[in-house]
Amino acid sequence: MDAHRQVSAAACAYLVSEMIQHFMARIRTAADLEITLHRTGQCVGAKVYELVSAREKSGRRESGIVEVLQFISITCWKCLFGKVADSLERSTDSETEFMIHDARPMTNRFISLPPSLGQLNCASYIAGIVAGMLACAQFVGLLVLVIY
């Protein structure tokens, strides 16, 4: 049995869509929905990081932030989204600010939102996943932007 089975993009999009609909029924503003998506992503990110680390690293722990972010943007991203992130960039403004770029985030690809939610960015779920991974790797509080 293949240990690295893939789930179809349609199935993932359906799950994300249902999650968003579930939260929309309980939340009034787009900002609150983004915060809730981010928090939910943090829980997922911590578990994914533990799982992928156990599979791929053989007990080895990355110590530098760049190495951890490379592991996230390549190995974890491929596990989650079936491809590596488009790029990992260090900000020119700050040594501690990094950006993981995904031109077509899965969370935004198949989601249609009502006009009442305005500029809601469902990629805040992915940002939460990254934040959860960083927390699991002992890099709490480091800002990572997922841009599209």
Side-chain angles (χ1 to χ4, degrees):
M1 183 153 76
D2 185 13
H4 298 281
R5 290 188 181 189
Q6 291 186 354
V7 177
S8 72
C12 289
Y14 176 74
L15 288 173
V16 170
S17 173
E18 288 297 310
M19 179 179 62
I20 290 169
Q21 286 181 17
H22 173 77
F23 292 145
M24 281 175 41
R26 291 156 179 78
I27 293 174
R28 297 177 195 257
T29 67
D32 289 342
L33 183 54
E34 282 185 3
I35 290 167
T36 301
L37 288 171
H38 190 272
R39 286 181 182 154
T40 303
Q42 286 177 321
C43 298
V44 172
K47 297 298 180 187
V48 169
Y49 188 83
E50 288 175 0
L51 174 69
V52 175
S53 292
R55 282 185 185 166
E56 303 290 331
K57 291 187 181 181
S58 304
R60 196 178 82 238
R61 185 175 183 280
E62 305 293 347
S63 60
I65 185 61
V66 174
E67 292 83 12
V68 170
L69 286 169
Q70 286 174 334
F71 178 74
I72 290 170
S73 67
I74 296 170
T75 309
C76 294
W77 216 266
K78 191 170 184 178
C79 177
L80 285 168
F81 306 115
K83 65 181 189 80
V84 299
D86 294 327
S87 66
L88 169 62
E89 303 168 9
R90 183 183 298 237
S91 172
T92 56
D93 299 333
S94 170
E95 289 284 319
T96 60
E97 187 173 291
F98 296 85
M99 293 163 275
I100 296 176
H101 182 230
D102 189 339
R104 295 192 57 209
M106 184 269 306
T107 53
N108 296 12
R109 211 175 312 161
F110 303 107
I111 305 296
S112 57
L113 298 167
S116 63
L117 289 178
Q119 299 297 319
L120 174 70
N121 186 355
C122 294
S124 61
Y125 178 65
I126 296 174
I129 290 174
V130 173
M133 290 179 182
L134 287 172
C136 191
Q138 307 302 312
F139 287 97
V140 180
L142 184 70
L143 175 64
V144 173
L145 305 173
V146 178
I147 55 177
Y148 59 99

